[in-house]
PDB file of all heavy atoms in Angstrom:
ATOM      1  N   SER Y1289       5.489   3.109 -10.796  1.00  0.00           N
ATOM      2  CA  SER Y1289       4.528   2.397 -11.629  1.00  0.00           C
ATOM      3  C   SER Y1289       3.159   3.071 -11.661  1.00  0.00           C
ATOM      4  O   SER Y1289       2.256   2.605 -12.352  1.00  0.00           O
ATOM      5  CB  SER Y1289       4.364   0.956 -11.133  1.00  0.00           C
ATOM      6  OG  SER Y1289       3.677   0.938  -9.892  1.00  0.00           O
ATOM      7  N   LEU Y1290       3.032   4.158 -10.909  1.00  0.00           N
ATOM      8  CA  LEU Y1290       1.742   4.824 -10.773  1.00  0.00           C
ATOM      9  C   LEU Y1290       1.704   6.154 -11.502  1.00  0.00           C
ATOM     10  O   LEU Y1290       2.708   6.874 -11.570  1.00  0.00           O
ATOM     11  CB  LEU Y1290       1.427   5.066  -9.292  1.00  0.00           C
ATOM     12  CG  LEU Y1290       1.354   3.821  -8.406  1.00  0.00           C
ATOM     13  CD1 LEU Y1290       1.200   4.223  -6.940  1.00  0.00           C
ATOM     14  CD2 LEU Y1290       0.218   2.912  -8.823  1.00  0.00           C
ATOM     15  N   ILE Y1291       0.534   6.473 -12.023  1.00  0.00           N
ATOM     16  CA  ILE Y1291       0.254   7.833 -12.462  1.00  0.00           C
ATOM     17  C   ILE Y1291       0.091   8.672 -11.189  1.00  0.00           C
ATOM     18  O   ILE Y1291      -0.563   8.235 -10.234  1.00  0.00           O
ATOM     19  CB  ILE Y1291      -1.031   7.895 -13.291  1.00  0.00           C
ATOM     20  CG1 ILE Y1291      -0.969   6.891 -14.446  1.00  0.00           C
ATOM     21  CG2 ILE Y1291      -1.286   9.305 -13.812  1.00  0.00           C
ATOM     22  CD1 ILE Y1291       0.154   7.133 -15.428  1.00  0.00           C
ATOM     23  N   ARG Y1311       3.925   8.134 -15.752  1.00  0.00           N
ATOM     24  CA  ARG Y1311       4.757   7.370 -14.817  1.00  0.00           C
ATOM     25  C   ARG Y1311       6.211   7.848 -14.826  1.00  0.00           C
ATOM     26  O   ARG Y1311       6.851   7.914 -13.784  1.00  0.00           O
ATOM     27  CB  ARG Y1311       4.694   5.881 -15.141  1.00  0.00           C
ATOM     28  CG  ARG Y1311       3.325   5.268 -14.895  1.00  0.00           C
ATOM     29  CD  ARG Y1311       3.256   3.818 -15.351  1.00  0.00           C
ATOM     30  NE  ARG Y1311       1.921   3.270 -15.145  1.00  0.00           N
ATOM     31  CZ  ARG Y1311       0.929   3.418 -15.995  1.00  0.00           C
ATOM     32  NH1 ARG Y1311       1.106   4.070 -17.115  1.00  0.00           N
ATOM     33  NH2 ARG Y1311      -0.267   2.895 -15.711  1.00  0.00           N
ATOM     34  N   ALA Y1356      -2.327   9.170  -6.388  1.00  0.00           N
ATOM     35  CA  ALA Y1356      -1.699   8.257  -7.326  1.00  0.00           C
ATOM     36  C   ALA Y1356      -2.637   7.097  -7.620  1.00  0.00           C
ATOM     37  O   ALA Y1356      -3.435   6.697  -6.760  1.00  0.00           O
ATOM     38  CB  ALA Y1356      -0.374   7.737  -6.772  1.00  0.00           C
ATOM     39  N   ASP Y1357      -2.504   6.573  -8.835  1.00  0.00           N
ATOM     40  CA  ASP Y1357      -3.370   5.471  -9.255  1.00  0.00           C
ATOM     41  C   ASP Y1357      -2.690   4.738 -10.404  1.00  0.00           C
ATOM     42  O   ASP Y1357      -1.931   5.351 -11.151  1.00  0.00           O
ATOM     43  CB  ASP Y1357      -4.722   6.006  -9.708  1.00  0.00           C
ATOM     44  CG  ASP Y1357      -5.757   4.913  -9.833  1.00  0.00           C
ATOM     45  OD1 ASP Y1357      -5.857   4.301 -10.907  1.00  0.00           O
ATOM     46  OD2 ASP Y1357      -6.458   4.658  -8.820  1.00  0.00           O
ATOM     47  N   PRO Y1358      -2.986   3.461 -10.576  1.00  0.00           N
ATOM     48  CA  PRO Y1358      -2.382   2.742 -11.697  1.00  0.00           C
ATOM     49  C   PRO Y1358      -2.849   3.233 -13.077  1.00  0.00           C
ATOM     50  O   PRO Y1358      -2.154   3.012 -14.069  1.00  0.00           O
ATOM     51  CB  PRO Y1358      -2.826   1.294 -11.481  1.00  0.00           C
ATOM     52  CG  PRO Y1358      -3.148   1.198 -10.033  1.00  0.00           C
ATOM     53  CD  PRO Y1358      -3.694   2.539  -9.670  1.00  0.00           C
ATOM     54  N   TYR Y1359      -4.024   3.903 -13.121  1.00  0.00           N
ATOM     55  CA  TYR Y1359      -4.596   4.245 -14.402  1.00  0.00           C
ATOM     56  C   TYR Y1359      -4.742   5.733 -14.630  1.00  0.00           C
ATOM     57  O   TYR Y1359      -5.255   6.462 -13.790  1.00  0.00           O
ATOM     58  CB  TYR Y1359      -5.977   3.578 -14.535  1.00  0.00           C
ATOM     59  CG  TYR Y1359      -5.918   2.084 -14.385  1.00  0.00           C
ATOM     60  CD1 TYR Y1359      -6.373   1.458 -13.223  1.00  0.00           C
ATOM     61  CD2 TYR Y1359      -5.367   1.284 -15.381  1.00  0.00           C
ATOM     62  CE1 TYR Y1359      -6.307   0.090 -13.070  1.00  0.00           C
ATOM     63  CE2 TYR Y1359      -5.286  -0.084 -15.233  1.00  0.00           C
ATOM     64  CZ  TYR Y1359      -5.758  -0.682 -14.088  1.00  0.00           C
ATOM     65  OH  TYR Y1359      -5.674  -2.033 -13.933  1.00  0.00           O
ATOM     66  N   THR Y1360      -4.302   6.173 -15.798  1.00  0.00           N
ATOM     67  CA  THR Y1360      -4.386   7.588 -16.165  1.00  0.00           C
ATOM     68  C   THR Y1360      -5.820   8.091 -16.115  1.00  0.00           C
ATOM     69  O   THR Y1360      -6.084   9.184 -15.609  1.00  0.00           O
ATOM     70  CB  THR Y1360      -3.831   7.796 -17.578  1.00  0.00           C
ATOM     71  OG1 THR Y1360      -2.476   7.362 -17.612  1.00  0.00           O
ATOM     72  CG2 THR Y1360      -3.907   9.256 -17.976  1.00  0.00           C
ATOM     73  N   VAL Y1362      -8.252   7.376 -14.333  1.00  0.00           N
ATOM     74  CA  VAL Y1362      -8.792   7.621 -12.988  1.00  0.00           C
ATOM     75  C   VAL Y1362      -8.387   9.009 -12.504  1.00  0.00           C
ATOM     76  O   VAL Y1362      -9.218   9.766 -11.999  1.00  0.00           O
ATOM     77  CB  VAL Y1362      -8.323   6.532 -12.016  1.00  0.00           C
ATOM     78  CG1 VAL Y1362      -8.735   6.878 -10.586  1.00  0.00           C
ATOM     79  CG2 VAL Y1362      -8.886   5.180 -12.429  1.00  0.00           C
ATOM     80  N   LEU Y1363      -7.128   9.356 -12.646  1.00  0.00           N
ATOM     81  CA  LEU Y1363      -6.696  10.699 -12.217  1.00  0.00           C
ATOM     82  C   LEU Y1363      -7.269  11.778 -13.125  1.00  0.00           C
ATOM     83  O   LEU Y1363      -7.607  12.854 -12.665  1.00  0.00           O
ATOM     84  CB  LEU Y1363      -5.172  10.803 -12.181  1.00  0.00           C
ATOM     85  CG  LEU Y1363      -4.559  10.720 -10.788  1.00  0.00           C
ATOM     86  CD1 LEU Y1363      -4.639   9.315 -10.260  1.00  0.00           C
ATOM     87  CD2 LEU Y1363      -3.133  11.222 -10.794  1.00  0.00           C
ATOM     88  N   ASP Y1370      -6.670   5.563  -6.131  1.00  0.00           N
ATOM     89  CA  ASP Y1370      -6.477   4.595  -5.054  1.00  0.00           C
ATOM     90  C   ASP Y1370      -5.765   5.194  -3.843  1.00  0.00           C
ATOM     91  O   ASP Y1370      -5.996   4.769  -2.708  1.00  0.00           O
ATOM     92  CB  ASP Y1370      -5.664   3.402  -5.563  1.00  0.00           C
ATOM     93  CG  ASP Y1370      -6.495   2.448  -6.393  1.00  0.00           C
ATOM     94  OD1 ASP Y1370      -7.724   2.615  -6.457  1.00  0.00           O
ATOM     95  OD2 ASP Y1370      -5.905   1.516  -6.978  1.00  0.00           O
ATOM     96  N   HIS Y1371      -4.836   6.101  -4.084  1.00  0.00           N
ATOM     97  CA  HIS Y1371      -3.969   6.582  -3.020  1.00  0.00           C
ATOM     98  C   HIS Y1371      -4.056   8.105  -2.902  1.00  0.00           C
ATOM     99  O   HIS Y1371      -3.938   8.807  -3.898  1.00  0.00           O
ATOM    100  CB  HIS Y1371      -2.517   6.176  -3.293  1.00  0.00           C
ATOM    101  CG  HIS Y1371      -2.363   4.726  -3.629  1.00  0.00           C
ATOM    102  ND1 HIS Y1371      -2.486   3.723  -2.696  1.00  0.00           N
ATOM    103  CD2 HIS Y1371      -2.120   4.115  -4.824  1.00  0.00           C
ATOM    104  CE1 HIS Y1371      -2.314   2.550  -3.293  1.00  0.00           C
ATOM    105  NE2 HIS Y1371      -2.090   2.761  -4.566  1.00  0.00           N
TER     106      HIS Y1371
END
Side-chain angles (χ1 to χ4, degrees):
S1289 70
L1290 300 174
I1291 306 299
R1311 293 175 182 84
D1357 194 272
Y1359 302 106
T1360 301
V1362 173
L1363 258 73
D1370 283 352
H1371 311 287

